[in-house]
């Protein structure tokens, strides 16, 4: 980064991500990020008061990258609500697994921050649960899902599938049975919210 360019939060976060991937979340310091930007570490402290604050900001941006494609699915109108709900869940699970394999340093940081930044993670979970509720509401309006309150149903679905997307369970995702396990859980959950039909009528 040239010295005649203003130091922005985005530039700092970009450099922090690169440094975290190089050294890992535990060994990376604010000084390392400053060196990558060719500025003094005091310049970074004007934007982020501590290493923890910087790490949380990087994680928050990372979480937003997960949420944005899911919001597009929730906003969609193609196909049935059940299909969109499955696509939403498949996308979340695939994204988390890809991060474990392709971006392990960032995933490790996310796992660590999950234990400390409770409010940020709670906000993220509420955002994702709200996206599920949005799809469920569409299904209820279309007569596809049983009528009721979308929010509690969405929260229950998110919690019931946590084994497949919560970082605490990442060690299980390489199991040869994980796909079949999810299909079984999903079939059970979906049967609980779908309107039952007999001979094509409710």
């Amino acid at each position: 980064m040239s010295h005649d360019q203003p130091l922005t939060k985005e530039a700092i976060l970009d450099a922090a991500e690169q440094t975290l991937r190089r050294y890992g979340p535990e060994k990376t310091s604010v000084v390392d990020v400053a060196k990558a930007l060719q500025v003094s570490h005091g310049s970074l402290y004007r934007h982020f008061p501590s290493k923890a604050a910087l790490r949380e900001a990087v994680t928050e941006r990372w979480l937003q990258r997960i949420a944005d494609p899911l919001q597009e699915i929730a906003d969609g109108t193609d196909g049935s609500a059940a299909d969109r709900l499955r696509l939403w869940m498949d996308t979340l699970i695939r994204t988390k697994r890809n991060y474990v394999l392709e971006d392990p340093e960032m995933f490790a940081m996310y796992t660590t921050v999950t234990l400390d930044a409770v409010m940020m993670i709670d906000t993220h979970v509420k955002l994702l649960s709200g996206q599920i509720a949005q799809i469920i509401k569409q299904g209820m309006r279309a007569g596809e899902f049983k009528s009721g309150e979308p929010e509690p149903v969405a929260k229950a679905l998110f919690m019931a599938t946590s084994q497949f997307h919560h970082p605490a369970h990442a060690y299980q995702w390489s199991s040869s049975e994980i796909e079949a396990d999810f299909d079984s859980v999903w079939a059970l959950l979906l049967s609980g919210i779908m309107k039952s039909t007999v001979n094509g009528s409710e």
Side-chain angles (χ1 to χ4, degrees):
M1 180 174 183
S2 61
H3 296 290
D4 59 346
Q5 291 179 328
L7 185 62
T8 65
K9 284 189 175 183
E10 285 301 307
I12 295 172
L13 294 177
D14 288 341
E17 280 195 23
Q18 295 172 11
T19 308
L20 284 161
R21 290 188 179 99
R22 182 177 180 182
Y23 299 113
E26 295 305 319
K27 294 183 178 179
T28 297
S29 67
V30 173
V31 173
D32 293 325
V33 179
K35 286 181 179 178
L37 289 165
Q38 298 181 352
V39 299
S40 69
H41 62 276
S43 299
L44 269 62
Y45 283 124
R46 284 195 285 270
H47 293 273
F48 300 99
S50 65
K51 175 184 174 179
L54 177 58
R55 191 164 62 173
E56 287 181 16
V58 173
T59 304
E60 188 172 20
R61 189 171 69 160
W62 187 73
L63 292 175
Q64 196 59 49
R65 290 177 188 154
I66 295 174
D68 287 345
L70 297 173
Q71 187 61 59
E72 291 182 10
I73 296 172
D75 291 338
T77 56
D78 294 337
S80 67
D83 287 343
R84 287 198 302 280
L85 197 57
R86 178 60 190 256
L87 176 60
W88 187 97
M89 191 62 68
D90 284 345
T91 301
L92 174 64
I93 292 171
R94 184 178 64 252
T95 300
K96 292 290 186 71
R97 290 182 189 174
N98 285 344
Y99 272 123
V100 171
L101 296 173
E102 301 171 8
D103 204 356
E105 292 82 8
M106 287 295 293
F107 192 83
M109 186 183 67
Y110 164 56
T111 303
T112 301
V113 172
T114 298
L115 302 175
D116 301 325
V118 177
M119 185 175 298
M120 180 177 67
I121 299 302
D122 184 56
T123 299
H124 176 67
V125 169
K126 286 180 179 178
L127 173 63
L128 298 188
S129 184
Q131 292 174 353
I132 299 176
Q134 184 178 337
I135 299 173
I136 291 175
K137 185 180 294 185
Q138 294 167 354
M140 288 178 176
R141 288 176 176 173
E144 187 178 344
F145 296 153
K146 296 174 183 177
S147 59
E149 294 295 327
E151 288 76 15
V153 175
K155 184 177 181 180
L157 284 174
F158 190 81
M159 293 174 62
T161 56
S162 62
Q163 176 184 345
F164 306 99
H165 53 75
H166 192 284
H169 297 278
Y171 70 95
Q172 297 177 295
W173 298 345
S174 58
S175 168
S176 60
E177 300 177 354
I178 195 70
E179 300 292 346
D181 289 345
F182 177 73
D183 286 339
S184 297
V185 171
W186 188 253
L188 181 63
L189 294 173
L190 198 60
S191 68
I193 63 174
M194 294 288 290
K195 279 193 173 182
S196 59
T197 59
V198 179
N199 296 326
S201 59
E202 187 178 340

